[in-house]
């Protein structure tokens, strides 16, 4: 498809386990973003990749969270030693260039439940 | 720190009504203000956006009103329809950094028949 694709759609994991969430951005988009959406909350910025520049990791809530983007395309968000408060919908978005000049397109999200 | 405050949290209007969702921001460096619409199980999608050099922008039945001095902006939906039932998020961006949107907490809108 032509949109942002995220996998898996749903993930249930046990507390303490590691999880990997995948994002396939729209082909050709240079910018990629990860957001977290908790129940009753807005979207919380996690990390931003732009081309070959160093990522903006200022939104990552703890050192248990990390993300990488390989070859300027696919991105993986990894959460180590998951906690119940990590339960949320994790959204990925991509844009052709930086925001404000081009639109960010969101994927459908990965719903993570930590039990 | 909640940099973008959104209200109300939820809203119910009858078909044909004009729901109004309000947002206020604190950071005067913000210079781009989009609204996103999100249906259950879907990611947010850009609905309409405004820059602070204009006070109003219309696209179809959706209008943004912007008050720069008050640091407030609002979304109006004219002739609302049941298909408009969704969660609406306001957001703000400093295009100088262009790295991240700051979102409000969302408004769940229900349009009844």
């Amino acid at each position: 498809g032509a949109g942002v694709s995220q996998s898996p759609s749903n993930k249930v994991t046990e507390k303490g386990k590691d999880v990997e969430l995948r994002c396939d951005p729209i082909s050709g988009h240079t910018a990629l973003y990860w957001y977290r959406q908790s129940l009753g909350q807005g979207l919380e910025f996690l990390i931003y990749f732009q081309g070959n520049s160093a990522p903006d990791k200022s939104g990552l809530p703890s050192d248990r969270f990390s993300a990488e983007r390989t070859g300027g395309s696919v991105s993986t968000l990894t959460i180590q030693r998951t906690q119940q408060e990590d339960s949320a919908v994790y959204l990925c978005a991509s844009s052709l260039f930086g925001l404000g000049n081009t639109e960010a397109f969101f994927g459908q999200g990965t719903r993570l439940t930590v039990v | 720190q909640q940099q973008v405050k959104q209200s109300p949290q939820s809203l119910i209007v009858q078909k044909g009504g004009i729901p109004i969702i309000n947002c206020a921001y604190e950071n005067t460096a913000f210079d781009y203000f989009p609204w996103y619409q999100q249906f259950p199980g879907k990611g947010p999608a850009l609905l309409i956006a405004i820059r602070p050099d204009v006070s109003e922008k219309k696209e179809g039945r959706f209008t943004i009103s912007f008050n720069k001095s008050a640091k407030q902006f609002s979304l109006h939906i004219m002739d609302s329809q049941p298909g408009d039932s969704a969660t609406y998020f306001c957001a703000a961006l400093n295009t100088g950094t262009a790295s991240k949107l700051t979102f409000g907490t969302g408004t769940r809108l229900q349009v009844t028949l």
Side-chain angles (χ1 to χ4, degrees):
Chain A
V4 176
S5 178
Q6 292 187 246
S7 60
S9 298
N10 287 281
K11 176 72 176 179
V12 180
T13 190
E14 291 182 351
K15 178 182 172 182
K17 300 283 189 182
D18 297 352
V19 295
E20 284 189 352
L21 311 180
R22 178 187 169 103
C23 173
D24 283 272
I26 294 172
S27 178
H29 280 195
T30 64
L32 186 147
Y33 317 80
W34 283 97
Y35 282 83
R36 178 168 69 176
Q37 184 174 21
S38 302
L39 189 64
Q41 303 294 316
L43 281 73
E44 175 190 8
F45 168 79
L46 297 177
I47 189 168
Y48 162 64
F49 296 91
Q50 173 60 64
N52 295 321
S53 301
D56 177 354
K57 303 180 182 180
S58 61
L60 295 178
S62 77
D63 59 7
R64 295 187 297 105
F65 288 73
S66 63
E68 62 177 20
R69 188 178 185 193
T70 54
S73 181
V74 172
S75 177
T76 302
L77 176 68
T78 301
I79 309 174
Q80 296 178 312
R81 306 180 302 281
T82 52
Q83 303 295 314
Q84 288 186 329
E85 60 262 30
D86 298 335
S87 296
V89 176
Y90 289 82
L91 290 160
C92 174
S94 70
S95 63
L96 186 58
F97 302 113
L99 294 174
N101 295 310
T102 58
E103 178 182 349
F105 293 86
F106 282 84
Q108 83 284 2
T110 293
R111 181 175 297 276
L112 175 66
T113 304
V114 182
V115 297
Chain B
Q1 181 184 8
Q2 183 67 45
Q3 291 198 54
V4 179
K5 295 182 180 179
Q6 182 171 348
S7 63
Q9 190 172 25
S10 63
L11 190 54
I12 301 175
V13 299
Q14 286 191 325
K15 179 175 180 289
I18 306 176
I20 300 172
I21 305 170
N22 300 298
C23 285
Y25 63 97
E26 299 169 5
N27 187 346
T28 55
F30 289 147
D31 59 356
Y32 177 73
F33 303 89
W35 285 88
Y36 283 81
Q37 180 187 56
Q38 185 179 30
F39 293 105
K42 304 291 185 183
L46 180 64
L47 189 62
I48 186 173
I50 196 168
R51 296 182 187 273
D53 52 346
V54 297
S55 60
E56 185 176 275
K57 183 173 182 180
K58 293 183 180 181
E59 285 188 6
R61 296 184 293 106
F62 300 92
T63 299
I64 301 178
S65 297
F66 187 84
N67 185 330
K68 187 175 180 179
S69 61
K71 293 187 287 185
Q72 295 176 346
F73 58 110
S74 60
L75 177 70
H76 302 230
I77 306 175
M78 306 301 178
D79 187 28
S80 58
Q81 302 296 314
D84 297 329
S85 297
T87 300
Y88 292 82
F89 293 95
C90 61
L93 174 74
N94 175 355
T95 59
T97 60
S99 66
K100 55 189 175 187
L101 287 161
T102 300
F103 283 87
T105 51
T107 297
R108 179 172 290 185
L109 172 66
Q110 183 180 352
V111 181
T112 62
L113 290 170

